[in-house]
Amino acid sequence: MRITIDAESIISAFSGNYHEFEDSIRSAILAITPLIMDDYEAKILLDGSGFGKEWLNRVYGNPVRMRMVTGEELEDYDIPSSGCLESHYVGAAYHHGHHMILGRRNSTYAAVSKKYGIRNLSAPVVVDPSNPIGVRIIESHLLNSATSKKHSIIRDFFHQENSVVVYDRYLKEASLVLLETLLRQVSPCAVINIISEFEANSVYTAEDVCARLKKVRPHADIHCLYPNFKEQSDKHDRHIHLGCRLQISFSSGLDCFGLAPGWNNSECDIHVYYLDSESPVRRYAVKRRPTDKKGFFVEACSKI
């Protein structure tokens, strides 16, 4: 599983008192920053012994087990690279799937975690082996006519994002309400590209959609674009790309949640994929107007 874990929790896990907690994190892929490494050094590695030290040294010895979050990545999301330790733990989790295990809490952790939509887990944590925190797929949600799940199950992933690409050919009222809810969480000055056929497949023009989303994020740079099928063969995809951090893919339309207060869900599998700067780049062929003869490409980090 992909997690960010503070030094106190590692000490707790390998204390011999919480065997299930220890088992849960043994195969984890850790997100770290240089400041987090200093914290581990001071609290875990300098004591000269201990199973926590042995485990952490094995993690350090295997690049596949670590995700180093750089100062540039932190600063891209307004987290100072020279900031406090609490902010570094939150920033690492933000780039690594949003899950953080804490052995201690304070007001700084609480405030910064809430701002960035981090899912805080209190140590000792026991991860259900039948439903683990993912490595490639961070989270999955299955919707159908018997469920009534709400937008909140994926809302946290949007907090403070500054680059959003949405692709869905068919936008309905429930789709727009979903986007209005999710985009309230992104950075006020985010760049947002909505790619759809608009009036060709719905009652909404591109201008209608831009106007509604501008009410939610008035200072955002919002573009409503049409797919150019002369240059793009993928016609039935439904994706939301969040920077180089995450991709949320839908097996059916973004209207799958339905509308409040009933929340009558429709059949849809929603998967949240982990991304990083090494992920492939997907190029969406688009036009500003359906009648344009020439188009251009919108690029997004992608799972494939």
Side-chain angles (χ1 to χ4, degrees):
M1 62 180 177
R2 293 188 181 276
I3 57 170
T4 300
I5 181 169
D6 66 6
E8 288 78 8
S9 295
I10 295 175
I11 293 169
S12 174
F14 291 93
S15 66
N17 298 319
Y18 303 105
H19 298 297
E20 290 182 322
F21 181 27
E22 178 184 339
D23 292 343
S24 294
I25 70 167
R26 273 197 173 274
S27 61
I29 301 173
L30 299 188
I32 56 177
T33 70
L35 199 59
I36 291 174
M37 293 183 71
D38 290 344
D39 192 39
Y40 288 169
E41 177 78 16
K43 297 173 182 174
I44 300 171
L45 297 180
L46 288 182
D47 67 357
S49 63
F51 292 115
K53 176 181 178 178
E54 293 178 9
W55 174 75
L56 192 56
N57 279 326
R58 287 197 298 274
V59 171
Y60 281 176
N62 184 352
V64 177
R65 298 284 303 280
M66 292 189 301
R67 164 70 160 95
M68 176 61 77
V69 178
T70 66
E72 290 80 6
E73 288 177 305
L74 295 177
E75 290 176 353
D76 280 346
Y77 289 93
D78 296 326
I79 300 172
S81 60
S82 59
C84 64
L85 178 62
E86 289 85 353
S87 294
H88 271 242
Y89 274 115
V90 170
Y94 187 71
H95 284 277
H96 197 61
H98 280 242
H99 292 93
M100 179 164 64
I101 299 176
L102 300 176
R104 58 188 176 89
R105 293 175 181 270
N106 60 35
S107 57
T108 303
Y109 267 127
V112 183
S113 294
K114 183 177 180 180
K115 178 179 179 180
Y116 286 89
I118 304 304
R119 278 91 185 274
N120 289 325
L121 308 173
S122 296
V125 173
V126 177
V127 177
D128 182 356
S130 66
N131 187 29
I133 299 167
V135 172
R136 187 77 175 98
I137 298 178
I138 298 298
E139 198 167 278
S140 293
H141 300 282
L142 306 182
L143 281 61
N144 58 41
S145 59
T147 64
S148 55
K149 297 182 180 181
K150 302 177 182 179
H151 304 157
S152 57
I153 62 174
I154 59 172
R155 185 177 58 207
D156 288 347
F157 296 117
F158 288 76
H159 283 232
Q160 304 304 311
E161 181 54 60
N162 54 34
S163 176
V164 181
V165 177
V166 177
Y167 181 89
D168 187 348
R169 290 177 63 196
Y170 306 89
L171 292 181
K172 301 178 182 178
E173 176 63 16
S175 314
L176 286 184
V177 172
L178 171 67
L179 291 177
E180 287 170 332
T181 300
L182 300 178
L183 295 179
R184 282 189 178 92
Q185 316 307 318
V186 303
S187 171
C189 297
V191 177
I192 302 168
N193 287 292
I194 311 295
I195 305 170
S196 183
E197 291 189 83
F198 300 107
E199 61 272 13
N201 285 324
S202 77
V203 299
Y204 302 103
T205 66
E207 291 76 15
D208 294 333
V209 174
C210 277
R212 283 187 56 169
L213 297 182
K214 271 289 188 181
K215 291 180 180 179
V216 172
R217 273 290 178 254
H219 301 295
D221 186 10
I222 301 176
H223 304 273
C224 290
L225 306 167
Y226 295 81
N228 181 2
F229 291 126
K230 290 184 179 180
E231 302 288 341
Q232 178 175 309
S233 59
D234 296 333
K235 295 185 177 181
H236 299 291
D237 295 346
R238 305 157 191 95
H239 303 299
I240 301 177
H241 304 263
L242 300 176
C244 287
R245 301 185 304 113
L246 300 167
Q247 175 178 329
I248 306 177
S249 295
F250 300 73
S251 65
S252 61
L254 301 184
D255 62 324
C256 57
F257 287 95
L259 293 166
W263 300 108
N264 297 317
N265 297 166
S266 58
E267 186 79 27
C268 187
D269 296 352
I270 302 174
H271 298 304
V272 183
Y273 290 88
Y274 167 80
L275 303 176
D276 60 27
S277 59
E278 302 300 318
S279 296
V281 174
R282 178 166 181 166
R283 303 174 78 221
Y284 288 99
V286 298
K287 298 185 289 186
R288 297 194 184 280
R289 291 174 294 274
T291 55
D292 287 352
K293 293 183 179 180
K294 291 185 177 180
F296 57 99
F297 291 93
V298 170
E299 295 186 343
C301 286
S302 175
K303 62 186 176 70
I304 55 172

